[in-house]
Structure formats: structure tokens, C-alpha cells
Amino acid sequence: MSHRPYSTDLTDEQWAIVAPLLPLPRPRGRRPTADRRRVLDAILYQTKNACTWRDLPRDFPNHTTVYRYFARWRDDGTLATVYEALHRRWHREVGRDENPGVVDSPHGTRPLLDGSVTVRTKAPDNTHAHLMRVKDNAPAERFGEDV
């Protein structure tokens, strides 16, 4: 089945960067029927659009297949590695430092893959801000110097 392009689909250049980062199919059992590139495209689509897995467009692989890959790659750290590689490439393209450390979102918080959240807090006098990392209601961990 042909598919229509989505804004989250990987370019050939991006795929060349992340394809070697994906684990090889398991040596035992059935051969995979889903194209790993389309599976990753579906995961990126779901991440951007925050839709349920079941609501993925029909031109992606089956939603249960996509979720199984997502869960496996999330648990073994593959997705974090892929996101970091794409993020570094984007930083290179726009002329920024490839290892920016903490990136703040315009909304003041940024969810991280380990379940923590990066929070930007302002000083009471609005002269500076701090970046904090909060996880499981534990005390906040401060990142670096004032922002």
C-alpha cells in the first residue's frame, strides 16, 4: 500500500542516520512483515500528534505492531538514541551546539524519556530563570547556572 507523506516522515538522509541505530530483527521466530522505517515514521507521527495508537492513519503498519516496536525500543533505549541523533542533526543544520544539554520548551516544561520533566522557573523579581528536573515528586534537581 502506498502512503501519503506526513510532516513527521523521515527523509532519506535522516533514515541513513537512524537505520544503523535500530536493533536487527530477532534471529528466531517469524520474519518481520513491517518495514522498520514505516514503523518509526508511525512512532514519530504518534509522538507529534499525541493520538492513540489505534488512531494511527491506515497507511502505517498495524497499530499493535507499531506499539510493540515502540515498547521494545523505548525499553531498550533505542528510541532515546534515535531522538538524540535526530536532535543533534537538527542542531547542526541550524548552526547550534550539537550537545545543548537541557532544552526548554516555550511552555515552560519538557517531558524527558526517563519520566522526568524539565521545568523552567523564574525568580520572584523576574531577573533570571532556573531549569529544574523533577521526577516522581522528588526534590527538584537544578541544571547548571542561572538561565
Side-chain angles (χ1 to χ4, degrees):
M1 170 189 262
S2 66
H3 71 279
R4 51 184 251 218
Y6 297 100
S7 64
T8 54
D9 286 354
L10 295 170
T11 64
D12 290 339
E13 182 183 342
Q14 291 169 327
W15 177 245
I17 292 169
V18 300
L21 304 175
L22 299 177
L24 296 174
R26 295 177 178 173
R28 296 178 190 236
R30 256 181 39 190
R31 286 192 174 154
T33 56
D35 174 22
R36 294 182 319 153
R37 181 174 181 170
R38 289 302 293 154
V39 168
L40 187 54
D41 284 341
I43 292 170
L44 295 172
Y45 179 93
Q46 193 278 339
T47 302
K48 178 184 178 195
N49 295 293
C51 65
T52 63
W53 294 104
R54 187 176 296 276
D55 289 337
L56 284 172
R58 299 283 179 231
D59 51 348
F60 284 125
N62 182 283
H63 69 277
T64 55
T65 300
V66 173
Y67 181 77
R68 275 198 307 270
Y69 275 94
F70 166 79
R72 187 179 316 140
W73 291 346
R74 176 200 58 206
D75 294 346
D76 70 10
T78 299
L79 277 181
T81 305
V82 166
Y83 290 149
E84 286 176 23
L86 292 173
H87 193 74
R88 278 194 309 272
R89 180 187 173 278
W90 177 79
H91 269 257
R92 232 183 357 260
E93 280 182 1
V94 297
R96 290 187 173 174
D97 179 10
E98 287 185 40
N99 299 308
V102 177
V103 179
D104 191 29
S105 78
H107 304 293
T109 63
R110 177 177 178 249
L112 302 173
L113 290 174
D114 68 355
S116 64
V117 177
T118 300
V119 181
R120 183 183 181 114
T121 59
K122 289 189 176 181
D125 59 1
N126 273 339
T127 58
H128 61 282
H130 302 277
L131 293 179
M132 310 291 262
R133 183 162 131 178
V134 182
K135 182 174 181 181
D136 301 327
N137 295 322
E141 174 184 331
R142 185 168 166 195
F143 284 102
E145 298 300 315
D146 295 344
V147 178

